Amino acid sequence: MGTRQVQNEEYGTTMYMPLDGGATRIGFPIRLDKEGGVLDRSNITVESLIEQAKRSFAPYELHFKELQWWTAYRGMNLGIMDSHNLAWKIFWYERKGAKADILDTYQQERKCVAEEVISIDQKLARFTANKIPKNSSTGLNSTFAKELNYAFFVKNWAFTMGTGIEYTESFLNSFDDGMPPGENSWPRPGQRGPDGWLLKYPKLQRIQLFMEMPQIGCFHILVFAGDLGRNINSLQSFAGHLHSDQAFWERYGRDESFKILFITLTMTNHVDKSLPIDTFLGAHALYVDAQEPDGAIGACHKRYGVDVEGQGEIVVVRPDGWLGYRVGLDNYDNIDKYFEKFML
């Protein structure tokens, strides 16, 4: 049904969108009791939000059967992303032996984000005033409401959450020669990695991927192994390479700098007992790409653009959650070359 809006003298523009199941999402500016006061979740109550939502709908009436979810923000997510982007690079420069060039990437990556945020803010200000943003038009087959919906719920939300932020190609966001950038390789290096559900070996407890990727300053190496029966030799070869003198794992800090997650499509109760999984995994964790033991297989592979029928891929996720590199499992030694670009 799309997004609708109510114009209110006190609140300006309030937007609402009917959802599946009979619920409705409402977005409105929060007014503080004191002029110049600071918006903080600690001074917001559910009761005050409901009251303000009703006032923002005037002259129409708004009634609540139940409140399923709410949040309030003032743009802090982007500030945290700025800080995190710089912090992990300083950490790797000071403690891990990264080249000074890594510090220059902060300006390269975040300046364009700041410029885009300013542009989005200017557009939203114009929309709130019921005006078309300068130097733009609604375009063919578009409407004011559609453009407002895109600016607020799509563009602004994507930037606030980070999913709409993409960094340009550099030595930190690098494409493998054998895997040119394209639509089929989403997410690409420079984009934020998505979450997913996995079963952790050997007990197969259901767990979120992000819960296994704490942002503590280390790189996460996601080894999408596909079918173990097909790719077991490549996995063994990669695991053996990790402990060679040329491998990034040995050269740059082992488990203090990296966390490796092996993610397979093969349920462990279907694994051939002759496959020496525990032998070559060592202390590294193994996960099954399934939401539950009898659920759909391969969702996480697909979210990361990995062919479930293919030979497997390795995805390098930076300490801030953005993809840095991806390569076919058979070409695992190219990961060493990726880190050599910015490590001493």
Side-chain angles (χ1 to χ4, degrees), residues 213-245:
M213 299 171 60
Q215 295 185 352
I216 54 176
C218 70
F219 280 82
H220 290 88
I221 314 298
L222 307 182
V223 184
F224 289 98
D227 180 77
L228 284 182
R230 181 191 303 121
N231 301 326
I232 190 66
N233 292 334
S234 297
L235 272 181
Q236 285 181 289
S237 182
F238 170 64
H241 174 75
L242 288 176
H243 299 286
S244 68
D245 294 338

Side-chain angles (χ1 to χ4, degrees), residues 198-224:
L198 303 169
L199 303 177
K200 191 171 184 179
Y201 179 84
K203 296 183 179 180
L204 299 184
Q205 68 264 38
R206 187 169 181 260
I207 193 168
Q208 281 181 270
L209 173 61
F210 278 1
M211 296 299 292
E212 298 295 279
M213 299 171 60
Q215 295 185 352
I216 54 176
C218 70
F219 280 82
H220 290 88
I221 314 298
L222 307 182
V223 184
F224 289 98

Side-chain angles (χ1 to χ4, degrees), residues 59-75:
Y60 305 101
E61 292 187 359
L62 178 66
H63 301 277
F64 285 80
K65 290 186 176 179
E66 66 172 319
L67 182 62
Q68 298 178 345
W69 174 88
W70 70 272
T71 189
Y73 66 93
R74 54 190 293 261

Side-chain angles (χ1 to χ4, degrees), residues 138-154:
T138 55
L140 184 65
N141 297 326
S142 186
T143 63
F144 181 89
K146 288 181 179 179
E147 295 297 318
L148 172 62
N149 176 65
Y150 177 79
F152 187 86
F153 285 111
V154 180

Side-chain angles (χ1 to χ4, degrees), residues 123-278:
K123 289 181 180 179
L124 291 178
R126 297 281 298 181
F127 278 128
T128 302
N130 207 28
K131 299 177 181 179
I132 296 294
K134 295 181 179 179
N135 303 320
S136 67
S137 65
T138 55
L140 184 65
N141 297 326
S142 186
T143 63
F144 181 89
K146 288 181 179 179
E147 295 297 318
L148 172 62
N149 176 65
Y150 177 79
F152 187 86
F153 285 111
V154 180
K155 193 71 173 179
N156 180 59
W157 182 253
F159 259 72
T160 300
M161 299 304 296
T163 55
I165 297 173
E166 181 174 358
Y167 302 139
T168 57
E169 184 175 358
S170 68
F171 58 83
L172 280 182
N173 315 308
S174 179
F175 294 89
D176 183 76
D177 293 338
M179 300 183 67
E183 294 182 359
N184 294 331
S185 61
W186 189 93
R188 300 183 295 270
Q191 295 180 324
R192 189 171 186 179
D195 198 4
W197 286 95
L198 303 169
L199 303 177
K200 191 171 184 179
Y201 179 84
K203 296 183 179 180
L204 299 184
Q205 68 264 38
R206 187 169 181 260
I207 193 168
Q208 281 181 270
L209 173 61
F210 278 1
M211 296 299 292
E212 298 295 279
M213 299 171 60
Q215 295 185 352
I216 54 176
C218 70
F219 280 82
H220 290 88
I221 314 298
L222 307 182
V223 184
F224 289 98
D227 180 77
L228 284 182
R230 181 191 303 121
N231 301 326
I232 190 66
N233 292 334
S234 297
L235 272 181
Q236 285 181 289
S237 182
F238 170 64
H241 174 75
L242 288 176
H243 299 286
S244 68
D245 294 338
Q246 295 78 30
F248 69 93
W249 173 263
E250 291 289 347
R251 295 169 66 185
Y252 306 126
R254 295 174 64 88
D255 54 6
E256 293 183 356
S257 301
F258 308 99
K259 182 176 181 180
I260 302 178
L261 293 80
F262 289 89
I263 304 172
T264 176
L265 298 172
T266 308
M267 295 297 295
T268 52
N269 59 331
H270 296 157
V271 173
D272 187 333
K273 300 301 182 182
S274 65
L275 299 180
I277 297 176
D278 295 322

